[in-house]
Amino acid sequence: MNVDYKEAFEKTKEAGSIAAGALDEVNKIIKPGISTGQIDMLCYEYINDHGAYSAPLFYRGFPKSCCTSTNHVVCHGIPSEKILKEGDIVNVDVTALKNGWHGDTSRTFKVGNVSIKAEKLVQATYESMMKAIGIIKDGIHLGDIGSTIQSYVEKEGFSVVQDFCGHGIGKTFHKEPNVLHYGEKGTGEIIKTGMIFTIEPMINYGNYETKTLNDGWTAVTKDKSLSAQFEHTIGVTKDGCEIFTKSEKIIK
Ligand code: MF3
Ligand code: CO
Ligand code: CO
């Protein structure tokens, strides 16, 4: 990794801030009665208005500008006419492409009042991501990240999805390395200053297994239990890491 990583960090931060800003807008309008298609339109417009492209749109044939994954949908839910109702949880995943660089982030939103069960799952999922981000610095192993997430969520009684993972990101949307959200300390690649990748744990209330629906995208829990996810794009530094998809307005 050469010194040019500073430029990569700046570019990724620009893209990441737009993606985070889109989610801040979603946070303002999300409530029972709106459709996932309306969320998609909002993300499309916000990202365009900020001089960027929505990377998911037409990515490998994906038809919309963001992913909306409700309740037992693990990831890659396709926005539609589907109306959100009180008690739903919905992950909105946006990726902005600005000046050739990607920023990828997602949050799970609570629609009105949700069950204590859903509340706990969403909180634990967020915590697991932040705990992993907290240990990242030059020299640790990728397995340290997975192990941090897995040990925490399993202690809380939840399970880690294994069929999808975080990923390197930059001029390319998805690149090496694969960032698994489970694993053993001290195993896997050693991460280095300047690397940019996502952490995006998908955590299930029940069993970890998933299956993909006939639309070729929507991944759901096999046992129909609830699933939550959060995602940040980060850059590794000597003593820690920088989060490129932080919200200016709210903590999550
Ligand atoms: N944003 C997702 C991720 O975190 C990828 C979505 S690809 C799509 O990697 F085609 F489904 F949009
Ligand atoms: Co991602
Ligand atoms: Co994403």
Side-chain angles (χ1 to χ4, degrees), residues 104 167 174 198 200 231:
D104 190 6
H167 49 92
H174 294 105
T198 72
E200 49 180 302
E231 175 174 25

Side-chain angles (χ1 to χ4, degrees), residues 55-67 75-78 91 93-95 103-106 165-167 169 173-174 198-200 202 217 229 231:
L57 188 60
F58 309 135
Y59 175 80
R60 299 188 179 181
F62 191 78
K64 297 285 176 179
S65 290
C66 66
C67 299
C75 63
H76 302 163
I78 302 172
N91 176 276
D93 190 338
V94 296
T95 310
D104 190 6
T105 184
S106 82
C165 58
H167 49 92
I169 185 167
F173 190 173
H174 294 105
T198 72
I199 310 272
E200 49 180 302
M202 284 142 274
W217 283 104
Q229 181 179 24
E231 175 174 25

